[in-house]
Amino acid sequence: MPCIVVCGFPCSGKSTRTEEIKQYLETQCKRSVTVISDHSIGVDRNLVYADSKQEKETRGTLKSAVQRHIGKEDVVILDSLNYIKGFRYELYCITKACQTPQCTVFCDSNREMVSLSNQERPLEERYTQEILDALVMRFEPPNSNQRWDSPLFTVQRGDRLSGEQIVDALLNRKPPPPNMATQNQPLSSTNFLYELDKITQDAVGVIMAGQKTCVPGDEISIPGAKEKITVLRPLTLGELQRHRRQFIVYTKMHPVNDVNTLCNMFVQYLNKGLR
């Protein structure tokens, strides 16, 4: 699925533009559209954006949702702040690896206007003023000269968004060619991916269960691995799953012939990543 990354200040009209694009693609192009947003994954934005750890986990969840739905036929729209240019680059790498086009829609606005729009929302949907100001301050605007933000469509409140230009960018443009960093290598056996998924998921389950009876500094034995997990602090399921996904992506690009080594490789990867 081609991907549209919608970004902008909080309350700048991103969801309205997302719905506008979705309607155009469905009615004019007969395309199926999947919208991924903070709301769709159940994010309490005032809680998440006040905690850097939770915010990082939320970005990982959004990115994983894009990875699951992306392909070459239908369209994925990511409706979130997407205010960090490094995160937009990660999304670009995903679409490049899948050999599908991507474009960026920037809902341009100013601090006064988004603050007023925030106050007009129902109380349960508002950002606190402190969170709103912090997100506006941290926003890194897209740049059409950067390949991960291009093609860039900048639209202000009240402007007409050109559906024709977006369709041309998504459906009539060749995707960027994959390179060594993004192209998946052939799997070493037909059941490799199944074994990789099962082994890593089982290991995560053992770690979560083992934490219930250990204290920081203890080691957890993983069946099938020579090394042990050193628990230096409490580990969350979301954190382990994020490292698991990263390990799977890496291992798919660098497959091994002996699946019996995967569990020990995963333990080594975790011990390095969780320090």
Side-chain angles (χ1 to χ4, degrees):
M1 300 179 183
C3 182
I4 302 173
V5 177
V6 182
C7 66
F9 289 165
C11 308
S12 60
K14 297 184 298 300
S15 295
T16 300
R17 294 299 183 180
T18 294
E19 183 61 25
E20 183 181 338
I21 297 168
K22 180 176 183 291
Q23 291 292 334
Y24 185 89
L25 290 169
E26 289 178 339
T27 57
Q28 300 298 321
C29 304
K30 309 302 179 185
R31 290 276 180 159
S32 176
V33 179
T34 299
V35 176
I36 299 167
S37 64
D38 290 352
H39 179 73
S40 71
I41 63 172
V43 168
D44 185 328
R45 291 173 295 192
N46 283 313
L47 289 178
V48 165
Y49 291 118
D51 186 305
S52 59
K53 182 179 179 181
Q54 288 191 54
E55 183 181 347
K56 185 176 180 180
E57 291 179 358
T58 297
R59 287 198 299 271
T61 301
L62 290 169
K63 185 170 71 171
S64 296
V66 171
Q67 285 179 305
R68 286 196 304 272
H69 290 94
I70 208 161
K72 293 186 178 180
E73 295 301 325
D74 299 332
V75 180
V76 172
I77 304 178
L78 179 57
D79 171 22
S80 186
L81 295 175
N82 299 319
Y83 70 92
I84 300 175
K85 63 183 178 182
F87 180 59
R88 297 196 298 270
Y89 174 73
E90 291 177 13
L91 296 170
Y92 169 79
C93 290
I94 292 171
T95 56
K96 186 173 182 179
C98 294
Q99 299 183 48
T100 188
Q102 173 181 317
C103 73
T104 303
V105 174
F106 174 35
C107 297
D108 193 13
S109 191
N110 59 52
R111 184 189 299 264
E112 292 73 19
M113 187 172 292
V114 299
S115 182
L116 179 61
S117 296
N118 184 54
Q119 293 302 317
E120 293 174 348
R121 288 185 168 191
L123 186 61
E124 64 275 10
E125 296 181 11
R126 292 179 193 172
Y127 292 87
T128 66
Q129 192 61 44
E130 181 182 5
I131 294 296
L132 181 70
D133 290 342
L135 290 171
V136 168
M137 185 181 302
R138 299 203 302 263
F139 188 83
E140 298 176 337
N143 183 345
S144 60
N145 292 326
Q146 303 289 0
R147 61 188 184 280
W148 55 86
D149 288 330
S150 180
L152 173 64
F153 301 94
T154 300
V155 58
Q156 296 183 339
R157 196 181 298 267
D159 288 352
R160 176 183 175 274
L161 181 61
S162 176
E164 297 89 345
Q165 290 183 339
I166 291 178
V167 168
D168 184 64
L170 290 178
L171 308 181
N172 300 325
R173 184 171 61 95
K174 290 184 177 180
N179 54 29
M180 288 295 292
T182 59
Q183 189 168 21
N184 289 345
Q185 302 298 317
L187 299 182
S188 59
S189 65
T190 56
N191 67 336
F192 178 82
L193 189 56
Y194 169 79
E195 294 291 341
L196 176 61
D197 183 77
K198 183 177 185 301
I199 288 170
T200 53
Q201 187 61 56
D202 289 347
V204 167
V206 171
I207 296 169
M208 290 302 297
Q211 284 191 116
K212 297 177 181 179
T213 57
C214 70
V215 297
D218 285 354
E219 294 182 329
I220 298 176
S221 297
I222 308 296
K226 296 179 181 179
E227 296 192 24
K228 298 179 180 180
I229 290 289
T230 303
V231 181
L232 301 177
R233 55 180 174 79
L235 304 173
T236 66
L237 179 59
E239 183 179 16
L240 289 171
Q241 291 287 22
R242 184 173 69 254
H243 282 285
R244 173 177 171 265
R245 289 191 297 268
Q246 293 169 350
F247 177 76
I248 287 175
V249 170
Y250 173 82
T251 309
K252 283 170 64 178
M253 293 190 293
H254 304 84
V256 296
N257 293 321
D258 186 2
V259 296
N260 294 321
T261 64
L262 286 175
C263 189
N264 202 62
M265 289 172 58
F266 184 47
V267 170
Q268 292 175 337
Y269 183 87
L270 287 176
N271 279 331
K272 290 181 180 179
L274 296 173
R275 287 176 181 172

